[in-house]
Amino acid sequence: MQQSHAYNDTRLALTTRVLDAKARKDLSWQDLADDTGLSLAYVTAALLGQHPLPAAAAQTVGDKLELDAADVAALQIIPLRGSLSGVPTDPTIYRFYEMIQIYGTTLKALVHEQFGDGIISAINFKLDIKKVEDPEGGSRAVVTLDGKFLPLRPF
């Protein structure tokens, strides 16, 4: 039977154990996502406490991290989602917050103009990040947010 968390306490403790094992074993997020059949972004988010893993993927990750059976089972529980409250203080996360502060209304206006009244789903969603060389020097981060448009349905 599928289980669900009501609080973040136990999931935060599990995430700490995952991060400790990942560091101790010198594994990358990609190393952990390999052989799960899931995307890098999904597995990373799951291991950071934002998604449940299917049983086979949880076992694969658990084996790589040498987690016990209880932790492998806990990776399969639906978490209480949302890891941020208030304005983020981490500089990398803050820059995404800043992008939304500056371009959020632009994105909303363009979505509504092109699609109509509705939202872009974060449930039926894909995320990708790629490092590309900048022709002007250095590197650029290309972040793709790919969500299904869900129209408002009057009732």
Side-chain angles (χ1 to χ4, degrees):
M1 171 182 284
Q2 186 70 57
Q3 300 296 320
S4 177
H5 280 293
Y7 302 98
N8 279 330
D9 298 351
T10 56
R11 191 56 198 231
L12 287 172
L14 174 57
T15 298
T16 299
R17 288 191 298 280
V18 165
L19 292 172
D20 287 347
K22 177 184 175 291
R24 189 175 56 255
K25 296 181 139 311
D26 195 29
L27 295 170
S28 69
W29 294 113
Q30 186 64 61
D31 292 333
L32 296 173
D34 287 345
D35 305 318
T36 64
L38 300 169
S39 74
L40 171 62
Y42 187 89
V43 172
T44 303
L47 295 176
L48 292 174
Q50 298 304 306
H51 297 305
L53 285 174
Q59 189 61 59
T60 297
V61 169
D63 290 345
K64 291 177 183 182
L65 294 173
E66 297 179 2
L67 299 178
D68 64 26
D71 282 348
V72 170
L75 288 172
Q76 299 170 61
I77 297 174
I78 299 169
L80 183 65
R81 290 179 171 98
S83 58
L84 303 176
S85 60
V87 176
T89 57
D90 177 86
T92 301
I93 297 172
Y94 178 79
R95 292 298 173 231
F96 282 98
Y97 175 79
E98 178 183 48
M99 289 175 221
I100 294 301
Q101 287 286 50
I102 294 169
Y103 293 104
T105 53
T106 301
L107 290 167
K108 177 184 174 6
L110 293 172
V111 164
H112 290 174
E113 182 176 282
Q114 294 178 26
F115 295 89
D117 191 6
I119 63 167
I120 298 172
S121 174
I123 301 300
N124 188 336
F125 187 80
K126 296 176 185 170
L127 167 82
D128 191 33
I129 184 165
K130 290 188 179 359
K131 180 179 178 181
V132 298
E133 295 308 311
D134 187 335
E136 298 175 9
S139 300
R140 299 186 67 82
V142 178
V143 179
T144 302
L145 308 174
D146 180 353
K148 181 175 183 177
F149 180 76
L150 301 173
L152 175 74
R153 295 184 184 160
F155 57 96

